[in-house]
């Protein structure tokens, strides 16, 4: 039987996150030689190389990928055991890590977290903001427990616990000639001054695909990583942008923005996903949070009935 220890796994996962021995050493606050020693010891015990040295750092071998997957399960199972033992002791503590896009934040705070905080008042939360690619990586690499993402690509390392239709719409200044109309095609709007999210965001990718289907290229006058910048750009009357309705629900209710519902199938069938790492055994706190978010967030209320 091969006996493995958590410290070696800890060092291996740090190398994967940092992409190099030196980077992992900096993250862990130890000497690079210590990280190398733990990796070499792990390779010796397993009898096979886990890392390949490259000019840019290190890359996982096939055996290394298997070891990393096992290491993640090792720490996740420890987390589940600790939470279950705490429950037997009458305790409830721990941390739930959530990663989502900026457009979900208001909905998350105003709606999603209320019931969870009431049921788990001693559980701490960590919320990180990222683009679609960053959210997917955080979940697949075990750096976040729950992800909320818009229209992600299929990934075998990711499991969607909820998938809800949330069409992508054009957001306009109030009084725009097309505001409030249904069935408008994207090509009717592409000559307007456009503000778009930067590359790497799911919305930008989605609009780009739909524009390509129209035979047009996107030429935004403004690109940004911030949805607040998009909202302010449109509110100032400088042009339009593309967002799901729930992102601008407050502004629509106030009348400070308008909305055009788009008929392009690719945009009309866009979805929000609540994601976790595939095949992960979820602690009760993570599972309960997921249930609350799916039940309470506007982003997970299907718009088929509109």
């Amino acid at each position: 039987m091969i006996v493995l220890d958590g410290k070696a796994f800890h060092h291996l996962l740090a190398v994967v996150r940092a992409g190099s021995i030196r980077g992992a050493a900096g993250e862990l606050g130890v000497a690079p030689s210590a990280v190398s020693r733990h990796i070499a010891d792990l390779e010796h015990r397993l009898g096979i190389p886990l890392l390949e040295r490259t000019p840019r750092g290190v890359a996982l071998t096939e055996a290394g990928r298997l070891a990393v997957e096992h290491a993640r399960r090792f720490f996740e199972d420890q987390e589940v055991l600790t939470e279950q033992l705490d429950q037997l002791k009458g305790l409830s503590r721990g941390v739930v890590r959530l990663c989502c896009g900026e457009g979900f934040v208001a909905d998350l705070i105003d709606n999603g977290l209320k019931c969870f905080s009431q049921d788990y008042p001693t559980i701490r939360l960590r919320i990180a903001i990222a683009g679609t690619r960053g959210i997917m990586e955080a979940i697949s690499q075990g750096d976040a427990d729950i992800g909320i993402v818009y229209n992600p690509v299929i990934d075998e390392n990711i499991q969607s616990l909820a998938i809800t239709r949330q069409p992508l719409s054009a957001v306009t200044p109030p009084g725009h000639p097309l505001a409030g109309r249904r069935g408008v095609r994207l090509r009717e709007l592409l000559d307007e001054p456009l503000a778009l999210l930067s590359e790497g965001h799911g919305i930008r990718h989605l609009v780009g695909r739909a524009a390509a289907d129209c035979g047009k290229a996107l030429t935004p006058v403004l690109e940004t990583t911030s949805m607040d910048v998009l909202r302010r750009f449109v509110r100032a009357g400088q042009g339009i942008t593309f967002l799901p309705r729930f992102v601008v629900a407050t502004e629509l209710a106030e009348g400070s923005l308008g909305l055009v519902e788009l008929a392009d199938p690719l945009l009309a069938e866009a979805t929000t996903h609540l994601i976790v790492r595939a095949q992960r055994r979820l602690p009760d706190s993570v599972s309960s949070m997921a249930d609350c978010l799916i039940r309470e967030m506007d982003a997970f209320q299907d718009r088929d009935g509109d």
Side-chain angles (χ1 to χ4, degrees), residues 14-270:
V15 171
V16 172
R17 284 193 300 271
S20 68
I21 297 291
R22 185 171 297 278
E27 177 185 323
L28 297 171
V30 299
S33 59
V35 177
S36 294
R37 187 168 60 252
H38 280 289
I39 299 300
D41 180 62
L42 188 56
E43 290 176 326
H44 176 73
R45 293 187 187 206
L46 295 174
I48 192 169
L50 303 179
L51 300 175
E52 292 177 338
R53 274 65 179 178
T54 72
R56 295 184 177 181
V58 295
L60 288 171
T61 64
E62 184 60 32
R65 284 189 283 274
L66 291 173
V68 164
E69 186 64 25
H70 181 81
R72 286 174 177 150
R73 286 198 301 270
F74 174 85
F75 288 115
E76 289 167 356
D77 286 346
Q78 275 196 329
E79 182 182 357
V80 171
L81 176 60
T82 299
E83 185 170 283
Q84 290 174 336
L85 292 176
D86 283 344
Q87 289 172 351
L88 290 175
K89 297 172 187 175
L91 303 173
S92 181
R93 60 190 179 192
V95 177
V96 177
R97 303 161 301 164
L98 194 146
C99 189
C100 68
E102 181 193 353
F104 293 102
V105 171
D107 189 12
L108 173 67
I109 300 299
D110 295 345
N111 301 313
L113 295 183
K114 286 183 179 178
C115 69
F116 180 81
S117 298
Q118 291 169 359
D119 294 341
Y120 290 84
T122 58
I123 297 291
R124 292 176 293 143
L125 306 176
R126 291 180 185 163
I127 300 175
I129 308 302
T132 301
R133 191 177 301 145
I135 298 167
M136 301 286 281
E137 289 177 355
I139 294 297
S140 64
Q141 294 178 8
D143 295 327
D145 300 304
I146 294 173
I148 307 174
V149 66
Y150 190 70
N151 221 61
V153 297
I154 296 172
D155 187 325
E156 64 180 7
N157 297 313
I158 300 293
Q159 177 186 357
S160 294
L161 299 184
I163 303 174
T164 307
R165 193 181 75 91
Q166 287 288 353
L168 192 65
S169 301
V171 181
T172 70
H176 189 281
L178 294 178
R181 275 188 52 186
R182 292 173 178 251
V184 176
R185 306 290 293 200
L186 178 66
R187 64 174 174 267
E188 299 178 56
L189 296 164
L190 290 179
D191 291 330
E192 300 263 354
L194 300 179
L196 297 176
L197 289 169
S198 304
E199 298 287 348
H201 287 262
I203 291 175
R204 173 62 179 268
H205 179 66
L206 188 60
V207 175
R209 286 174 57 198
D213 289 345
C214 301
K216 291 199 172 189
L218 292 175
T219 54
V221 300
L222 171 68
E223 295 183 64
T224 178
T225 59
S226 169
M227 288 191 181
D228 187 51
V229 170
L230 296 182
R231 287 188 288 256
R232 289 176 179 273
F233 173 87
V234 177
R235 208 159 48 224
Q238 297 183 44
I240 68 171
T241 191
F242 300 98
L243 294 169
R245 177 185 286 267
F246 67 85
V247 176
V248 291
T250 300
E251 290 83 359
L252 292 175
E254 295 171 348
S256 59
L257 290 175
L259 195 84
V260 179
E261 298 202 358
L262 300 172
D264 305 72
L266 189 63
L267 307 181
E269 298 302 319

Side-chain angles (χ1 to χ4, degrees), residues 1-33:
M1 173 186 280
I2 300 172
V3 180
L4 304 174
D5 67 272
K7 182 171 283 190
F9 283 153
H10 187 57
H11 282 70
L12 177 62
L13 292 179
V15 171
V16 172
R17 284 193 300 271
S20 68
I21 297 291
R22 185 171 297 278
E27 177 185 323
L28 297 171
V30 299
S33 59

